[in-house]
Amino acid sequence: MATEYLNDSVKAADDYPSSESVSVRDEEEQTSGLKRNLKPRHLALVAIGGVIGQGLFLSSGVNLAKAGPAGLLISYAIIGILVFFVTLQLGELSAYIPISGSFSAYARRFVHRSFGVAVGFNYFYCWAVIGAAELVAIPLVMNFWTTAVPDWAWSIMFLVVMFAVHLIGPEGWGETEYWFSLVKILAVFITVIIGCLTSGGVLGGEVYGFKYWRDPGAFSNGFLGILNALVLSALTMAGTEIVGVASGESKNPSKAIPAAVKNVFYRVVLIYILSVFVIGMVIPYNDPHNFLSKGAGMSPFTLIFEKAGLTGGAHFINAVILCTLYSCGSSAIYVSSRTLVGLAQEGIVHNKLAYTTKRGVPIYALLASCAVSLVCFFTSFIPGEVLFLVLCDLGGIAGLITWMSIAIVHLRFRKAFRAQGHRLSELPYRAPLYPYANYAAIIASVVIILISGWSYFVPPKAEGLVGNYGGPIIFVGGMLIHKFWTKSKFIPLHEVDLVTDARVNWRELDYGDDDDINESKKKAIWKRIVTVFT
């Protein structure tokens, strides 16, 4: 029944397609080669499917060790606020100009060509690294059952399955991601309930309450611990912006995207805040399982079931975590391959990467994205947990760069929109708190990027320095090299392209009618609650 309410909340783009909208959609498919086969129900859960991955199920334990239970909550709250601002800004951009590979295209059109090129490569690199991190994390989960199989072998087997699913086309990925997302959300809330019962002594025979907040303490390393936890917290929230990339393959972006970006944020924040709060009650920050060392590492979700005395449940939740890693890794491959398609269509990378099969699969971009994940072979001579944490830091920092870029792009878009005489009423969706939210997101992202890795300088730790500062150095260096090579300049506000791909007739393309809108407003409150949680 819950899935029916979810479908009702986002089905409008499936119904009443006009001939004009169909012709526009066909023309866009012929231009991009990608098929618009993602349904609104897919889009509504795409962001959640990309977000809920090893960042919550594995890295939350590492973050607990870094910051303590109170520090963990603070770090998630900081990143949650940042994501909230950025998601709304992206919703405005994607609803008005929905295009695949949207981030780099927006940056090139609204800010600076070199900036756009750097943003595009950073976004590809961000999700390619996250995909690799998910695959490297899979053996860490499989070690719960057996250590007989080499780590790299597990990773390769799951990579082959991901590749095969993507060969089906976007509808194959969208459908599997939809169901995986529902399973993950259900598993999270079951774990939260089990954790609350365990904390209260109903399960497990021991009352925890807030005793671990007192001993060993609420903070493991004070303010420094919170700073160290911010990057992995950013990694766990990475993925909300997948809606922007998927917009190029949704059926009615002007209506589906605003609904998706507004609803998804509340679900994600609620899921994360509840989860880390319960984890901090039941698991002390100095628990050896948090450090993911081989033979001792364990997901905090699995550990909650063990402390509750539900050994069979621990096996079940570990299997769910395995599905989660597959799901998030598959989402990462989807996004990185579509980003490469956008870069190829703009002439930034080889045009062969824009080639798509008859099923709308960008086969060469897909192969390139999967090739990055072959870094999992490094587990043959680098401990899996070390490589995992380096990849997580790289992905988290790349995500922060992406969020900063979105805030900058939206700032320039609004300025150009007003400078060219447009009215805000022309926008299908308007992000609130402009421009204050933009400046807050930009400043917060820059500060976190600069200070997140300072603890690795003394004593120097190569894995920490590479993970935290390798990405920003490449991003800034590549942008400057491209600028000097091409002699590109900032685009004047009056010359910003606000016409190409813009849905200026979005009101005519609204597939719903007044009766649908009124029915949505009259929906029972309990149905709305079910919709939010599912």
Side-chain angles (χ1 to χ4, degrees):
M1 293 296 293
T3 55
E4 292 177 6
Y5 302 135
L6 171 64
N7 293 341
D8 288 342
S9 67
V10 293
K11 73 177 182 178
D14 275 330
D15 300 331
Y16 315 112
S18 66
S19 58
E20 180 182 1
S21 65
V22 171
S23 63
V24 170
R25 188 183 308 152
D26 291 342
E27 181 180 350
E28 289 170 338
E29 286 185 3
Q30 294 171 3
T31 301
S32 66
L34 299 172
K35 300 295 184 182
R36 292 183 178 271
N37 292 331
L38 290 182
K39 300 177 181 178
R41 66 181 178 89
H42 295 151
L43 186 61
L45 287 184
V46 154
I48 291 183
V51 171
I52 302 178
Q54 58 78 18
L56 178 62
F57 286 98
L58 287 179
S59 296
S60 56
V62 178
N63 256 0
L64 178 62
K66 287 184 175 183
L72 183 62
L73 278 173
I74 293 173
S75 67
Y76 272 84
I78 292 173
I79 298 300
I81 294 171
L82 173 60
V83 170
F84 175 68
F85 288 151
V86 171
T87 304
L88 295 180
Q89 293 157 14
L90 179 61
E92 178 179 316
L93 291 170
S94 298
Y96 189 68
I97 307 179
I99 49 180
S100 277
S102 53
F103 294 103
S104 57
Y106 290 150
R108 286 192 303 275
R109 285 172 57 171
F110 303 152
V111 186
H112 192 291
R113 177 168 176 77
S114 298
F115 178 67
V117 170
V119 168
F121 277 108
N122 174 78
Y123 200 63
F124 164 73
Y125 148 84
C126 172
W127 280 100
V129 166
I130 289 177
E134 303 296 328
L135 287 166
V136 171
I138 284 175
L140 300 178
V141 174
M142 296 302 299
N143 287 338
F144 178 78
W145 292 301
T146 179
T147 58
V149 180
D151 288 355
W152 62 265
W154 287 121
S155 301
I156 292 301
M157 283 189 282
F158 277 84
L159 178 60
V160 170
V161 174
M162 292 178 190
F163 181 77
V165 170
H166 280 280
L167 288 180
I168 299 174
E171 68 276 13
W173 169 79
E175 194 64 29
T176 56
E177 197 61 32
Y178 174 79
W179 291 108
F180 272 132
S181 295
L182 290 178
V183 170
K184 286 185 285 186
I185 294 170
L186 182 61
V188 167
F189 281 106
I190 290 176
T191 306
V192 168
I193 293 172
I194 295 297
C196 290
L197 295 176
T198 304
S199 178
V202 178
L203 296 176
E206 181 179 352
V207 177
Y208 293 96
F210 287 92
K211 78 172 188 177
Y212 290 138
W213 286 57
R214 296 186 295 271
D215 182 21
F219 298 91
S220 62
N221 200 14
F223 182 67
L224 178 61
I226 297 175
L227 293 181
N228 289 339
L230 286 172
V231 173
L232 286 184
S233 298
L235 178 70
T236 63
M237 297 282 185
T240 309
E241 72 286 338
I242 291 180
V243 174
V245 180
S247 67
E249 295 175 71
S250 60
K251 295 188 175 182
N252 184 13
S254 64
K255 191 164 187 177
I257 293 173
V261 297
K262 285 191 295 184
N263 291 332
V264 162
F265 168 78
Y266 298 108
R267 300 169 189 162
V268 169
V269 169
L270 197 57
I271 287 170
Y272 280 113
I273 294 301
L274 282 176
S275 297
V276 299
F277 178 71
V278 170
I279 288 171
M281 285 196 299
V282 180
I283 304 173
Y285 68 72
N286 56 0
D287 191 301
H289 294 95
N290 293 330
F291 299 98
L292 298 180
S293 55
K294 190 163 186 175
M298 186 184 299
S299 165
F301 283 71
T302 305
L303 193 56
I304 286 175
F305 274 80
E306 288 209 337
K307 289 201 170 190
L310 303 175
T311 306
H315 286 279
F316 167 75
I317 201 67
N318 211 59
V320 171
I321 293 170
L322 189 63
C323 294
T324 295
L325 297 180
Y326 167 85
S327 169
C328 193
S330 182
S331 291
I333 291 174
Y334 173 88
V335 177
S336 58
S337 63
R338 268 54 180 185
T339 301
L340 274 183
V341 171
L343 293 174
Q345 290 173 343
E346 294 287 336
I348 295 173
V349 297
H350 198 285
N351 58 9
K352 198 71 173 176
L353 291 172
Y355 171 79
T356 58
T357 65
K358 292 181 179 180
R359 299 188 64 88
V361 179
I363 184 65
Y364 296 116
L366 182 62
L367 287 170
S369 298
C370 290
V372 177
S373 296
L374 295 179
V375 70
C376 61
F377 277 115
F378 290 168
T379 55
S380 300
F381 51 89
I382 299 177
E385 62 273 12
V386 174
L387 180 59
F388 169 70
L389 292 176
V390 171
L391 291 173
C392 286
D393 284 339
L394 287 170
I397 292 295
L400 286 165
I401 293 175
T402 295
W403 296 338
M404 176 194 69
S405 303
I406 292 172
I408 293 173
V409 168
H410 178 257
L411 190 68
R412 287 277 299 177
F413 168 76
R414 273 287 192 97
K415 288 184 176 181
F417 202 75
R418 298 303 295 270
Q420 296 184 21
H422 292 279
R423 299 186 304 273
L424 294 182
S425 59
E426 299 175 33
L427 297 173
Y429 172 73
R430 296 190 294 276
L433 299 180
Y434 169 88
Y436 308 107
N438 299 74
Y439 291 124
I442 294 169
I443 293 172
S445 298
V446 171
V447 169
I448 294 172
I449 290 171
L450 292 179
I451 67 177
S452 61
W454 70 285
S455 62
Y456 296 108
F457 284 99
V458 181
K461 294 182 180 179
E463 64 271 20
L465 294 175
V466 171
N468 284 275
Y469 296 112
I473 291 174
I474 295 174
F475 177 81
V476 175
M479 181 171 58
L480 292 177
I481 291 173
H482 185 273
K483 173 178 171 54
F484 289 122
W485 183 267
T486 62
K487 295 181 171 46
S488 57
K489 298 179 180 179
F490 275 101
I491 304 173
L493 294 178
H494 290 282
E495 297 180 13
V496 169
D497 180 8
L498 299 175
V499 177
T500 305
D501 296 316
R503 294 196 172 232
V504 295
N505 60 336
W506 58 272
R507 287 186 176 87
E508 287 82 3
L509 295 179
D510 186 353
Y511 301 152
D513 55 26
D514 293 337
D515 292 336
D516 295 327
I517 296 173
N518 293 332
E519 181 66 25
S520 177
K521 291 180 179 179
K522 294 178 182 178
K523 184 184 294 185
I525 188 168
W526 68 271
K527 290 185 178 182
R528 296 184 184 182
I529 293 174
V530 171
T531 298
V532 167
F533 281 93
T534 57

